[in-house]
Amino acid sequence: MGDVIETTQRAFVGVTEVWVPKDGRLIHATGDYGGRSAFEVASVVESFGPGEGLPGKAWAEARPVVLKGFDGSYFKRIEAAREAGLTSAVALPVFDGDELTAVLVVLCGDDDTTTGAIEVWKERDGLLLLEDGYYGAAKHFEWVSQHTHFPRGQGLPGGVWAAQTPILMRDLGSGYRFIRAESAGRAGLTTGLGLPVPVPGGETYVATLLSARGTPIARRFEIWDAREARVGKARGGKGGGCKGGGAVLIDGICEREGPLWNEDTPRRAAVWEGPVGQALGSGLPQVLSGAASVAAGYASMVALPIHRGGEVAHVVAWYV
């Protein structure tokens, strides 16, 4: 696919890390720190019990958590984060039924030009309402979002809720399906990835990643379908992953290649091959960094499995 994309754009997300349970605590598994070596050093030796820090809170409360300010909060690495220019974070727990397999944490900085959105929506009384979100400089879009609700099937969050699958939306500023199109256009938001966040107890959560032109969350998005009905027989594997079957790319967009999905010759991922295959096999999020190790010549990528019905149903991937 060629060389690394040359761009002056800055990424919306500064750090992505994965925490996994071991002996009653969450320990560091992997991460992309974007050159923030001091924060990486402080992180790899850290661990969290239930309720401790941001990963521990997502674990104990069994829900996605947004933390828009670290000072005076329960965040454990405040000083290191401040020195790294990180000011906010979102934790997405990965559950296989009632069992926590991992917590994916993304951390962002804050200035007058960084624009994008990472949102968490929760169902209440038959509607999805904004639980919380981080928007960078997109203050008007944040206000609109706080005053918007979605019935099942409406907009990106409502579409994910109805389908119980990840959904990718393009042209947010002009797409009629995106309810907040006008304010999204003003904020420069272009692409949206919505994904279900299954948790124990049956509560409905949907996370959305909304990427802007100047400070993108990602330059490439992929949705892989690993459900048995789509790819054939799959048996539960260690860690809640799957064996056999693999996954097929059902949607994707790349700033260089354009649409990635081709119904006539669909792309496939084999279990344990590449980061998407590793996510399928292990049932755990994968984070890769460094141009030599990331497919397509990007600087970093994330592959996030979504469990449903005892199997990895989907993997969503994004590349920076």
Side-chain angles (χ1 to χ4, degrees):
M1 283 188 56
D3 299 328
V4 175
I5 292 176
E6 297 212 4
T7 177
T8 57
Q9 295 172 326
R10 294 178 296 111
F12 183 70
V13 174
V15 168
T16 304
E17 52 189 18
V18 177
W19 301 86
V20 297
K22 182 180 180 180
D23 299 329
R25 297 187 68 80
L26 290 172
I27 64 170
H28 185 273
T30 185
D32 170 34
Y33 289 86
R36 297 169 177 83
S37 56
F39 186 73
E40 181 176 6
V41 168
S43 300
V44 296
V45 297
E46 189 60 86
S47 68
F48 303 92
E52 290 181 1
L54 181 60
K57 187 176 181 67
W59 181 14
E61 299 185 6
R63 66 179 180 91
V65 179
V66 179
L67 183 57
K68 291 190 283 191
F70 296 155
D71 289 342
S73 75
Y74 51 82
F75 195 79
K76 289 182 68 174
R77 297 164 284 165
I78 293 176
E79 187 59 37
R82 183 183 299 114
E83 293 176 359
L86 301 168
T87 59
S88 59
V90 180
L92 299 178
V94 180
F95 280 95
D96 180 6
D98 292 337
E99 180 185 356
L100 181 83
T101 65
V103 178
L104 179 75
V105 176
V106 296
L107 299 101
C108 305
D110 195 6
D111 57 41
D112 293 335
T113 60
T114 302
T115 299
I118 303 175
E119 305 174 314
V120 174
W121 299 83
K122 181 181 180 182
E123 185 270 331
R124 293 189 182 90
D125 299 324
L127 296 170
L128 280 179
L129 305 178
L130 184 68
E131 182 84 345
D132 209 343
Y134 174 68
Y135 297 85
K139 301 304 181 186
H140 179 262
F141 185 77
E142 179 176 9
W143 183 89
V144 170
S145 302
Q146 291 169 342
H147 295 81
T148 302
H149 58 262
F150 293 96
R152 183 189 293 266
Q154 187 178 75
L156 179 57
V160 171
W161 180 20
Q164 292 297 303
T165 63
I167 292 176
L168 191 57
M169 275 192 180
R170 290 95 160 146
D171 303 320
L172 298 185
S174 58
Y176 71 94
R177 293 174 59 207
F178 194 73
I179 304 303
R180 299 165 286 166
E182 181 180 355
S183 55
R186 290 172 55 180
L189 300 173
T190 57
T191 306
L193 174 66
L195 54 141
V197 185
V199 298
E203 291 186 308
T204 296
Y205 287 97
V206 172
T208 55
L209 311 180
L210 309 180
S211 193
R213 293 185 190 90
T215 52
I217 288 178
R219 300 181 178 96
R220 178 186 180 108
F221 291 97
E222 299 171 347
I223 299 177
W224 297 83
D225 192 340
R227 291 174 295 181
E228 181 179 325
R230 183 63 184 260
V231 298
K233 182 66 175 175
R235 301 184 307 278
K238 183 179 180 181
C242 67
K243 298 178 181 178
V248 62
L249 184 70
I250 59 169
D251 203 357
I253 188 169
C254 173
E255 71 173 21
R256 278 196 307 182
E257 294 184 55
L260 300 176
W261 176 64
N262 186 321
E263 186 174 5
D264 295 327
T265 56
R267 304 186 189 200
R268 295 185 175 273
V271 178
W272 298 113
E273 292 185 8
V276 172
Q278 291 286 331
L280 286 170
S282 67
L284 301 175
Q286 306 294 308
V287 177
L288 276 71
S289 61
S293 61
V294 179
Y298 289 83
S300 64
M301 71 90 64
V302 179
L304 176 65
I306 299 171
H307 299 255
R308 187 168 297 279
E311 65 175 353
V312 174
H314 294 87
V315 174
V316 294
W318 57 93
Y319 300 72
V320 180

